[in-house]
Amino acid sequence: MENRYGTLASWVYHLDKPIGRSFGDIGFYRDRLAGCSGPVLEPAAGNGRVLIPLLEAGFDIRGFDASDEMVAHCRAECAKRGLSAPVDIQRFETFSYPERFEAIIIPAGSFQLVTEPEAALGVLRRFHDALCPGGRLLLDLDPLASLADTSRTARHWRDGDSLLTLSEQRVETCFQRQTMLSHLRYEQWRDDVLVASELQLFHLRLWGVLEMELALKAAGFKEIRVHGDYCADEKPGPEPVSFTFEAVAGA
């Protein structure tokens, strides 16, 4: 199944991106949310890497994820800290809450997991409708230049008596559709014996800056700003690592 974080994928994610590990995004989101007293939503909250630090900072934040395994990691980390676990299992396309939010944040390019443009526009409209009038959406995207990077990667982690390995290979790049498909193979080894393996089909769609601005406007957003590399109000440089779009929900 595409983009499914199973047992090994979630385990590796949790080792590689533990709670509080920041790429500049946690402090950026904390600062952009300063003064936000209403509820905040993080779709695709994963293991709680960003959600838990914001929860500890006093924000009324909750989240969801489509992966049972990732939600389990998040709930376990909340329990360790004596926090409530405001996360549940939902999907971008169908999530629903009784209240409306003052802000929605989507760090780490998770929105790019929606690979069909029409479906992505529908998700943006759902975000808009889940916000209070004047509420803000903050959404990270990778640069389009990532499509040209076809390098293979191989990494490993140790956890107790287990060795976890990840091999990633790009198998398809479609410049016309701005999509890329990779095979991610996860393996668990113990005493030089392969214990378990898992193949994840990782499919992403990248967006141009103007294209995303137009999509946000079509979904009902206004006052759209673009931040580069988690520097507030900084004009993105010629080779940005990431973009963050900030947009306000219309009435």
Side-chain angles (χ1 to χ4, degrees), residues 59-129:
F59 291 100
D60 177 15
I61 185 168
R62 64 215 65 184
F64 67 81
D65 201 277
S67 167
D68 295 21
E69 291 87 350
M70 292 290 268
V71 168
H73 281 296
C74 187
R75 288 173 176 168
E77 291 295 334
C78 285
K80 286 181 187 177
R81 294 162 172 78
L83 300 169
S84 63
V87 288
D88 54 5
I89 298 167
Q90 298 200 60
R91 301 184 64 84
F92 278 131
E93 297 87 352
T94 55
F95 78 88
S96 178
Y97 290 91
E99 74 269 58
R100 298 175 84 180
F101 296 91
E102 190 170 338
I104 294 176
I105 64 169
I106 306 131
S110 298
F111 181 73
Q112 297 164 152
L113 295 167
V114 185
T115 56
E116 292 298 326
E118 284 301 316
L121 184 56
V123 172
L124 290 177
R125 290 184 177 125
R126 185 170 285 270
F127 289 158
H128 179 276
D129 294 344

Side-chain angles (χ1 to χ4, degrees), residues 20-72:
R21 181 179 179 186
S22 180
F23 305 98
D25 50 355
I26 294 177
F28 173 84
Y29 279 103
R30 185 178 58 242
D31 292 345
R32 299 310 296 169
L33 294 174
C36 180
S37 58
V40 178
L41 177 67
E42 184 188 353
N47 67 335
R49 178 185 70 86
V50 175
L51 184 144
I52 290 175
L54 293 180
L55 193 62
E56 291 177 321
F59 291 100
D60 177 15
I61 185 168
R62 64 215 65 184
F64 67 81
D65 201 277
S67 167
D68 295 21
E69 291 87 350
M70 292 290 268
V71 168

Side-chain angles (χ1 to χ4, degrees), residues 133-197:
R136 286 179 298 152
L137 172 68
L138 291 136
L139 181 152
D140 287 356
L141 293 178
D142 297 324
L144 269 175
S146 301
L147 282 170
D149 181 7
T150 58
S151 58
R152 299 184 181 188
T153 60
R155 305 176 64 195
H156 69 275
W157 299 259
R158 285 206 172 269
D159 191 18
D161 61 356
S162 289
L163 173 69
L164 285 299
T165 64
L166 166 61
S167 301
E168 178 178 357
Q169 180 181 359
R170 179 82 62 85
V171 295
E172 180 182 296
T173 301
C174 181
F175 289 96
Q176 182 180 10
R177 294 179 58 81
Q178 298 167 205
T179 59
M180 53 190 187
L181 177 66
S182 300
H183 284 178
L184 277 60
R185 184 173 184 83
Y186 299 88
E187 296 179 338
Q188 178 191 1
W189 296 80
R190 190 180 299 126
D191 297 326
D192 298 326
V193 176
L194 181 62
V195 177
S197 64

